Amino acid sequence: MTTNVPLLQETGSTARDEGPLADAQAQLAAAVATLGYEPGLHELLARPRREMTVSIPLRRDDGSVEVLTGHRVQHNFSRGPAKGGVRYSPRVSLDEVRALAMWMTWKCALLDVPYGGAKGGITVDPRRYTRPEIERLTRRYTSEILPIIGPDKDVPAPDIGTDEQTMAWMMDTYSVSSGYTVPGVVTGKPVALGGSLGRASATSAGVVHIALAALEHRGITATRSTAAVQGFGKVGADAALFLAEAGVRVVAVSDQYGAVHQQDGLNIHTLQQHAAATGSVVGFPGAEAISGEELLTLDVDLLVPAAVEGVLTGANSRDVRARVIVEGANGPTTAEADRILADRDVLVVPDILANAGGVIVSYFEWVQSNQAYWWSRQEVDDRLARRMHTAWHHLLDAAAARGLTLREAATVTAVERVADAHRTRGLYP
């Protein structure tokens, strides 16, 4: 069903550790106050433009039927088609998807990509289902949200619990309904189906471009620095590898099962092989076992939270010893933690810049799919690096000019661009 939703938080309220939606709304409210926008424009920016919640009947391999719930939220499309990932996780809720869709709007605007923000997901633990069941689940979800997606409407991509195979199934389901192949309906596809070279590791590469720039900004030499990476999935594993290749000593990584620590530096290539063989970083030979919470407070130069939202909170942020935090995940730092870290002069590079490499190369893939013209890996990597470094320097300038933190400056810049697009287009009567 498609619904209009009320304003989800009083515009003047202050979010604490209440979840990602409260944090997203608080960030928007602060940006609106800085920009001096009227309440009507604030409300327009706070509300998702369109939401769809669907029931997904799934026939299990044993013949039984289970009904799951899926969502697709389109926060804003004033600057172009909606864009955002699809996640399969037991944590998925409508409020989480609303927050992630809003952050996607700001991310696309900050990086000057001609998209609005969207997000989708199914409340499901994909580890409990077979591959054929996941395929049926994906195809049914796609068919349910099919009326609101499309290469000129809303372009999904992989996220937590989904991958390029998931996108192949979504593309095929949409294409079968259309009667012809529509490669531009999703991004993050296999290269054989029109995916872009470099897309799979783009988010990780973008995180590392920004991490190295942030270390330099703080006067820290990369080859003499240490790092801890929370999360060893799509983003964290390659981010750890690229950091190590750049000369950073990665001393700890974690996943949902635990964390490992080695003060003289982990061999990330070998650790990736271990995780692929065992399903976890836990038990890596020669490393000390620590908890995921301990990893967040290690004495390192750089911390990369690259798992899920809300891991740095008011309860643990005073114990964080990293001098630079680069957000590989969406919303890993709560509003209260943000204030504490700012007071302690910890440089926090916000998610809407730090992990934007994925949406940038998704944009490149979308352009290539629509034009049926493919770029080399070197072209993709070079274009990504230029985009990330340009956005970084613009953000530093904006923060200095307004006397804001990087997150505040990023949100203000993005909100201003979206609001300008809306005002230029006008309000349809």
Side-chain angles (χ1 to χ4, degrees), residues 35-110:
L35 292 164
Y37 289 158
E38 65 275 12
L41 181 57
H42 182 184
E43 187 170 357
L44 183 143
L45 295 169
R47 291 174 182 255
R49 294 288 295 274
R50 184 180 293 133
E51 295 182 344
M52 180 174 277
T53 296
V54 297
S55 295
I56 307 167
L58 170 67
R59 188 174 300 279
R60 303 293 300 268
D61 291 344
D62 63 5
S64 63
V65 174
E66 180 178 349
V67 181
L68 300 164
T69 300
H71 308 287
R72 188 70 183 173
V73 173
Q74 297 167 344
H75 173 255
N76 189 281
F77 23 77
S78 292
R79 301 182 74 253
K83 186 80 184 76
V86 174
R87 62 174 51 182
Y88 293 175
S89 166
R91 294 166 53 101
V92 167
S93 67
L94 184 54
D95 276 357
E96 178 192 57
V97 175
R98 285 168 171 162
L100 294 167
M102 181 183 290
W103 282 324
M104 276 301 300
T105 298
W106 312 144
K107 184 183 300 183
C108 292
L110 181 66

Side-chain angles (χ1 to χ4, degrees), residues 36-362:
Y37 289 158
E38 65 275 12
L41 181 57
H42 182 184
E43 187 170 357
L44 183 143
L45 295 169
R47 291 174 182 255
R49 294 288 295 274
R50 184 180 293 133
E51 295 182 344
M52 180 174 277
T53 296
V54 297
S55 295
I56 307 167
L58 170 67
R59 188 174 300 279
R60 303 293 300 268
D61 291 344
D62 63 5
S64 63
V65 174
E66 180 178 349
V67 181
L68 300 164
T69 300
H71 308 287
R72 188 70 183 173
V73 173
Q74 297 167 344
H75 173 255
N76 189 281
F77 23 77
S78 292
R79 301 182 74 253
K83 186 80 184 76
V86 174
R87 62 174 51 182
Y88 293 175
S89 166
R91 294 166 53 101
V92 167
S93 67
L94 184 54
D95 276 357
E96 178 192 57
V97 175
R98 285 168 171 162
L100 294 167
M102 181 183 290
W103 282 324
M104 276 301 300
T105 298
W106 312 144
K107 184 183 300 183
C108 292
L110 181 66
L111 274 294
D112 202 19
V113 175
Y115 289 136
K119 206 75 175 184
I122 301 174
T123 310
V124 63
D125 184 349
R127 296 169 299 180
R128 295 182 50 245
Y129 296 81
T130 66
R131 183 181 174 90
E133 289 172 338
I134 293 295
E135 178 178 358
R136 293 195 291 273
L137 176 72
T138 299
R139 290 185 181 276
R140 184 57 185 252
Y141 170 69
T142 305
S143 69
E144 293 289 346
I145 66 169
L146 192 143
I148 65 169
I149 64 173
D152 298 314
K153 297 180 182 178
D154 180 355
V155 185
D159 200 274
I160 294 171
T162 59
D163 56 20
E164 63 178 21
Q165 180 60 71
T166 315
M167 295 303 105
W169 290 328
M170 291 190 75
M171 187 203 79
D172 183 68
T173 304
Y174 185 91
S175 297
V176 168
S177 175
S178 300
Y180 57 93
T181 300
V182 188
V185 68
V186 298
T187 59
K189 305 178 295 296
V191 172
L193 296 179
S196 177
L197 296 171
R199 171 60 184 86
S201 60
T203 303
S204 306
V207 166
V208 174
H209 283 309
I210 295 301
L212 296 176
L215 288 171
E216 181 181 7
H217 179 68
R218 276 294 167 104
I220 302 169
T221 303
T223 54
R224 298 177 182 174
S225 67
T226 56
V229 179
Q230 189 238 3
F232 205 66
K234 286 190 191 72
V235 179
D238 279 339
L241 178 62
F242 297 155
L243 284 169
E245 290 176 345
V248 176
R249 179 155 45 100
V250 181
V251 300
V253 301
S254 68
D255 60 21
Q256 60 187 313
Y257 304 107
V260 291
H261 175 254
Q262 197 165 14
Q263 191 55 40
D264 59 353
L266 295 159
N267 185 317
I268 304 300
H269 279 290
T270 307
L271 180 57
Q272 287 185 338
Q273 294 170 357
H274 171 82
T278 67
S280 174
V281 301
V282 174
F284 183 57
E288 171 195 5
I290 61 173
S291 70
E293 275 296 318
E294 287 179 278
L295 178 141
L296 296 172
T297 58
L298 287 174
D299 186 9
V300 292
D301 298 301
L302 170 67
L303 173 63
V304 180
V308 296
E309 61 271 8
V311 297
L312 295 173
T313 68
N316 63 14
S317 54
R318 289 181 178 83
D319 298 322
V320 169
R321 288 184 280 177
R323 296 166 62 189
V324 176
I325 297 173
V326 177
E327 296 184 332
N330 292 313
T333 309
T334 68
E336 185 176 4
D338 235 2
R339 290 190 290 272
I340 293 169
L341 293 167
D343 289 344
R344 298 180 55 223
D345 194 33
V346 177
L347 181 68
V348 179
V349 184
D351 48 3
I352 63 173
L353 171 62
N355 66 29
V359 75
I360 290 172
V361 180
S362 281

